Amino acid sequence: MIKNIEIKNFRCFDNLKVFGFERVNLISGKNNVGKTALLEAIFLNSAPRPDTIFSLRQVRREQVSFSKTLPERTWINFFFQQNKGDIIQIKSVLDNDESKVVEISVDESLKNFLVNTSQENEGQEDEVKEDITSLFSGSESSVSVIHLKTTINNKESFETQIVSSAKGLIARDIKIPESRNVSFIPSFLRVSNRDLTSEFDKARLSERDDEVLKAFKSIDNSITEVESFSIGEPTIYLKRDGKSRLPLSLFGDAINRIADIILKLVNNENSILIIDEIENGIHHSNQVYFWNVLYKLADELNVQIFATTHSLEMTQAFLKAGLQYRNLGVHFELARQAKTDKIVAIKRDLDALDYGISHNEEVRGG
């Protein structure tokens, strides 16, 4: 479990330190103080792989067509004040005192990429160089290479690279560390019926489908059954008391999002679950019940949850449910210091959060 994280030169963070994560972590703050960026840093540190970089570009809606037109600007939005001349460093410390440092840097040449690729393909150097050079033909200034270097406990190092050019993106792994299973749920993405149904069938196989039903009930208490059918496209069907089955898609985006959250939780023991804007689609009257489900499953399945919110009601629900799980939950508020404009993280355990809310202190998001 991640206990501390230090982030340098990433997104809006010049240097942010956050200490004291617990099993269930709720992050609030006003707009543009880095709530999503903190989640992204945790995601990158937990899974320093090319697919993580691609996922974060999708979260930020960064277009491949733009990268093809201006490859030299492909990676700049990852860097503080878009300064890709400095190295990004994301360091975490786990509860067993293991440390992991992920460093991200950029250069504008294929030279290192070609050398490293050739070293892995002894006897095929010319052929490899020809293939890569053909794919990324053009001037040296038309490519941009991002490097991800991961160091565990200040000893063993791993590296992966992605090249951007007018021809597209290509990734190569020199050596990737084993990483904990981590899921990132952005604020806007709707998961396909096929993917949700596949995940639900996994939950049924492991006898976890009752937990899925309880989560749906946190949104609509009249739901009595959850089933999957593969007539045409595989689809989850819900049934209300005394009524016919209906496909999940007819119940709105909130149910789709709840399904995604709970299925990622129940199907991934010993993992990390990251949720941006957790309140989306969940009515305030159902939020305490929903948090009860999350606390219970996180504890049972050894899942560490990181979530952001803009909502005071969601923060109050997090507190109320968490009082039954005293040592599991903690709240962080991201804020800018008035004099320096530097972003800092203010930690509140549940007692401090309770005091702050009851005394009308500012603990909400936007």
Side-chain angles (χ1 to χ4, degrees):
M1 186 169 74
I2 297 173
K3 295 301 293 184
N4 309 321
I5 196 163
E6 183 174 356
I7 307 163
K8 296 180 179 179
N9 198 42
F10 179 72
R11 299 291 196 195
C12 56
F13 302 130
D14 177 20
N15 188 353
L16 175 72
K17 298 178 181 179
V18 188
F19 298 102
F21 289 127
E22 297 292 348
R23 175 71 58 200
V24 183
N25 305 276
L26 183 64
I27 301 152
S28 69
K30 295 180 180 179
N31 290 331
N32 301 315
V33 293
K35 296 186 296 296
T36 300
L38 175 55
L39 297 187
E40 292 178 333
I42 293 168
F43 188 27
L44 262 172
N45 183 268
S46 303
R49 304 187 301 259
D51 57 304
T52 301
I53 293 288
F54 296 144
S55 295
L56 295 184
R57 282 172 50 81
Q58 182 184 23
V59 167
R60 297 286 181 164
R61 296 182 174 92
E62 296 183 20
Q63 301 298 316
V64 174
S65 57
F66 180 85
S67 297
K68 288 182 178 181
T69 303
L70 294 171
E72 68 275 12
R73 296 184 63 84
T74 300
W75 316 115
I76 63 170
N77 292 327
F78 285 105
F79 291 80
F80 178 67
Q81 295 182 346
Q82 298 187 326
N83 182 8
K84 61 184 179 181
D86 291 338
I87 294 176
I88 293 170
Q89 186 180 85
I90 306 171
K91 178 181 180 180
S92 66
V93 177
L94 309 186
D95 52 1
N96 60 1
D97 291 329
E98 179 179 280
S99 67
K100 178 193 285 187
V101 180
V102 176
E103 295 178 314
I104 302 173
S105 59
V106 168
D107 68 56
E108 313 298 337
S109 171
L110 278 174
K111 181 179 179 180
N112 293 331
F113 185 87
L114 291 170
V115 169
N116 289 328
T117 302
S118 297
Q119 289 173 348
E120 288 188 342
N121 296 272
E122 280 190 46
Q124 303 178 30
E125 289 89 346
D126 293 338
E127 181 180 343
V128 170
K129 284 186 178 183
E130 184 178 350
D131 288 345
I132 297 295
T133 303
S134 174
L135 181 60
F136 295 104
S137 58
S139 66
E140 286 291 304
S141 62
S142 67
V143 301
S144 185
V145 185
I146 191 169
H147 304 263
L148 283 77
K149 180 181 177 182
T150 305
T151 305
I152 307 296
N153 290 331
N154 299 315
K155 296 177 181 178
E156 192 170 11
S157 294
F158 309 85
E159 189 172 354
T160 186
Q161 299 172 338
I162 311 171
V163 182
S164 173
S165 85
K167 298 292 183 68
L169 302 175
I170 185 172
R172 64 179 297 277
D173 304 322
I174 300 172
K175 190 179 180 184
I176 292 185
E178 291 186 6
S179 58
R180 193 173 177 186
N181 186 13
V182 55
S183 302
F184 190 106
I185 300 178
S187 60
F188 65 90
L189 194 63
R190 184 184 178 94
V191 182
S192 71
N193 290 335
R194 181 179 297 275
D195 289 344
L196 282 180
T197 306
S198 175
E199 289 299 308
F200 176 67
D201 287 343
K202 291 178 187 177
R204 290 177 62 197
L205 193 62
S206 59
E207 305 295 337
R208 289 283 183 182
D209 47 318
D210 188 53
E211 302 292 353
V212 180
L213 175 59
K214 289 178 182 177
F216 285 149
K217 280 181 167 293
S218 72
I219 300 300
D220 186 340
N221 196 47
S222 68
I223 295 172
T224 58
E225 292 182 45
V226 187
E227 301 171 285
S228 62
F229 294 92
S230 294
I231 304 170
E233 181 182 41
T235 301
I236 294 174
Y237 280 77
L238 305 180
K239 186 175 182 180
R240 288 192 175 106
D241 190 20
K243 297 185 179 180
S244 299
R245 300 179 181 90
L246 292 173
L248 180 74
S249 58
L250 295 184
F251 285 78
D253 288 343
I255 288 287
N256 181 282
R257 185 168 169 81
I258 292 296
D260 189 23
I261 292 171
I262 295 302
L263 288 170
K264 281 189 168 62
L265 188 53
V266 301
N267 288 335
N268 295 281
E269 292 189 52
N270 308 311
S271 68
I272 294 173
L273 177 60
I274 299 171
I275 311 164
D276 198 14
E277 296 184 18
I278 191 170
E279 71 273 14
N280 284 359
I282 305 175
H283 192 268
H284 66 85
S285 62
N286 300 318
Q287 290 172 357
V288 174
Y289 188 102
F290 181 59
W291 273 117
N292 270 307
V293 172
L294 294 186
Y295 274 110
K296 176 177 178 293
L297 291 176
D299 191 30
E300 289 178 0
L301 301 174
N302 189 33
V303 176
Q304 189 174 22
I305 296 176
F306 298 91
T308 64
T309 186
H310 288 93
S311 165
L312 176 60
E313 291 79 13
M314 182 56 90
T315 304
Q316 291 171 325
F318 167 81
L319 169 63
K320 188 172 183 179
L323 292 176
Q324 301 178 52
Y325 302 88
R326 275 287 179 180
N327 299 318
L328 294 187
V330 66
H331 171 263
F332 294 89
E333 180 184 357
L334 296 185
R336 291 186 181 272
Q337 292 180 329
K339 291 184 178 180
T340 65
D341 202 41
K342 182 179 179 180
I343 298 172
V344 295
I346 304 164
K347 177 186 174 182
R348 297 184 179 93
D349 62 21
L350 295 184
D351 288 333
L353 180 61
D354 189 17
Y355 180 88
I357 290 177
S358 63
H359 287 75
N360 297 315
E361 293 182 2
E362 183 66 43
V363 296
R364 68 179 301 153

